[in-house]
Amino acid sequence: MQCIKVGVIGAGGVAQVEHIPNLLRLHRQFEIVGVYDPSQKVRAFVGEEFGLETFADLDQLLALPLDAVVIASPDALHREQALAALGRGLHVFCEKPLCYSARDIDDLIAARDRSGRVLQVGYMKRFDPSYEAALNMLPGTARTLRYVSVEVNDPDAWPFVRHHSTCRGDDVAAGLIASTEARQREQVARAVPGLDNPDAFRGFVGAYCSSIVHDVNAVHGLLDALGVADGDIVGASLFARGEGGQGAVSLLGGQALWNMVHLAVPGLADYRERITLYFDDASLDLEFPSPYLNHQPTRLTLRTSDGHTLSSRDIRSGYEAAFVEELKGFWSAIVETTPVRNSAEHARRDMTLLAGLARHHLAQLKQSGVRP
């Protein structure tokens, strides 16, 4: 079995809890050659906890004999770091969001095509066993689809990672933080010009691009399986001081509606994430656990009726962890040239919709006379 030499870029929470342990677990497919992070505290933790060599300079990591990188850095750094890796002929796995704007993703697509390397986005839900099962047992067609519902409440990771050993990088230089924030403002401006309101800005980069983007990607896959084309945005709202995001999309010329809501509830140790598709005579429901609870299965429920008799069927299709399976998919795309399940083109489609929702929100504010 071919072993891919990989470097990890960014060793924050998702890398500490998921990517680094999972890469080490997949030791036949991957060898971690080194880890880059600007925090000295995080580098010391990674060295002690995982026994890995760490680097304070990204170029030092990229100069090593690598085949690929896993990028888990702050969102605003994804573009330049992915370009740097592709420019060196490395395969790239990049956490979501790939970039904020379609134009920036186009740059990465061009760099990927020039390099002939794999570029995969970290949408792990596409590798969830229950999601895979749902694609094969949709109880209706485009003709009978009525409604798609996405509803998420999320306290962030804190209740679900307490049992892990982690380290927060609170010693990053102020200048680096400021330059990263400046990059973020510049990139967001390309995606949604005029997004100057702090709450709306926070909602776009957080509730939309960091959170509900997972569900947007998952629903796009389900709609593709049904043969349903992209629809028209008919509503959007960024609320709860930027910690809530909502969007509504008309599908099939108004025959069906897709409504999505993500709400951060920071003081409630409860996570619920549900995607439900309603048809004329059936519904299909995916209820996801917190993504950090590996091997806790997503509940897949199919409901149908025979006259007055309601049947509810729970499907359990496996206990594989989606975070692990997506890395296996990355390896397979590199070594076995299997199709990339989460491509940059998928990310472009997702981010185009989320940017459109944010622009719709701004337009509504202007119409109501509220300063955006």
Side-chain angles (χ1 to χ4, degrees):
M1 179 176 287
Q2 182 176 339
C3 189
I4 300 297
K5 295 183 182 295
V6 64
V8 177
I9 300 176
V14 70
Q16 293 173 28
V17 175
E18 294 293 347
H19 293 316
I20 291 176
N22 293 335
L23 288 165
L24 292 172
R25 186 176 298 114
L26 297 171
H27 57 90
R28 292 179 180 85
Q29 289 107 318
F30 295 98
E31 176 192 350
I32 301 179
V33 178
V35 178
Y36 159 76
D37 196 275
S39 164
Q40 190 278 330
K41 289 175 62 175
V42 166
R43 293 195 303 274
F45 170 82
V46 168
E48 180 179 354
E49 183 77 8
F50 302 109
L52 297 171
E53 187 174 4
T54 63
F55 298 88
D57 183 271
L58 178 57
D59 287 336
Q60 288 183 320
L61 174 67
L62 294 179
L64 297 175
L66 301 175
D67 301 308
V69 295
V70 170
I71 299 176
S73 56
D75 300 346
L77 301 178
H78 290 176
R79 177 184 181 275
E80 64 183 72
Q81 291 173 348
L83 285 173
L86 290 168
R88 290 176 179 260
L90 302 178
H91 303 284
V92 174
F93 176 100
C94 185
E95 265 297 338
K96 55 74 201 167
L98 180 58
C99 296
Y100 294 116
S101 76
R103 193 171 80 189
D104 287 345
I105 294 175
D106 287 338
D107 292 340
L108 292 181
I109 291 172
R112 177 203 64 191
D113 292 346
R114 286 194 301 270
S115 69
R117 294 299 185 259
V118 169
L119 173 57
Q120 179 176 322
V121 185
Y123 292 128
M124 77 288 186
K125 284 182 171 55
R126 292 265 187 146
F127 290 85
D128 183 300
S130 294
Y131 178 82
E132 292 176 326
L135 291 173
N136 294 319
M137 58 189 313
L138 291 164
T141 65
R143 183 176 298 177
T144 60
L145 180 67
R146 286 174 169 258
Y147 184 58
V148 180
S149 171
V150 173
E151 188 170 352
V152 187
N153 62 271
D154 182 5
D156 207 353
W158 62 268
F160 314 111
V161 299
R162 185 176 63 176
H163 54 290
H164 291 279
S165 178
T166 59
C167 173
R168 183 178 180 185
D170 55 7
D171 60 336
V172 177
L176 180 56
I177 294 173
S179 67
T180 302
E181 291 174 347
R183 285 186 180 91
Q184 185 180 52
R185 289 192 296 272
E186 174 189 342
Q187 292 169 22
V188 169
R190 286 199 290 274
V192 189
L195 192 66
D196 302 323
N197 179 278
D199 288 345
F201 184 96
R202 184 183 184 191
F204 176 68
V205 300
Y208 278 176
C209 297
S210 183
S211 299
I212 210 168
V213 64
H214 271 301
D215 303 282
V216 167
N217 179 262
V219 169
H220 274 150
L222 292 164
L223 294 178
D224 286 345
L226 289 167
V228 176
D230 293 350
D232 299 316
I233 294 170
V234 294
S237 179
L238 295 166
F239 60 98
R241 299 177 299 279
E243 294 189 333
Q246 176 269 342
V249 178
S250 176
L251 301 171
L252 298 165
Q255 171 190 306
L257 181 71
W258 169 16
N259 189 63
M260 64 194 90
V261 179
H262 185 283
L263 177 65
V265 189
L268 182 66
D270 176 59
Y271 183 97
R272 295 185 185 181
E273 179 177 11
R274 178 179 292 173
I275 298 175
T276 308
L277 282 73
Y278 294 91
F279 299 87
D280 286 354
D281 55 0
S283 69
L284 189 73
D285 186 87
L286 283 157
E287 187 171 351
F288 297 89
S290 166
Y292 292 105
L293 298 178
N294 288 340
H295 305 293
Q296 180 172 330
T298 295
R299 180 182 292 275
L300 173 60
T301 306
L302 174 64
R303 293 183 176 87
T304 58
S305 288
D306 181 6
H308 291 282
T309 303
L310 173 68
S311 297
S312 181
R313 178 185 173 199
D314 287 336
I315 297 96
R316 186 70 53 82
S317 55
Y319 292 87
E320 292 85 356
F323 270 118
V324 176
E325 296 305 307
E326 68 176 351
L327 291 175
K328 291 181 182 178
F330 184 49
W331 179 89
S332 182
I334 295 170
V335 175
E336 301 172 335
T337 65
T338 58
V340 177
R341 190 172 300 188
N342 296 327
S343 68
E345 285 81 1
H346 291 148
R348 189 187 193 282
R349 179 188 186 187
D350 302 332
M351 299 310 296
T352 297
L353 174 57
L354 291 172
L357 291 176
R359 289 194 294 270
H360 192 94
H361 171 73
L362 291 183
Q364 289 179 315
L365 290 180
K366 290 178 182 178
Q367 287 178 1
S368 64
V370 178
R371 181 183 176 184

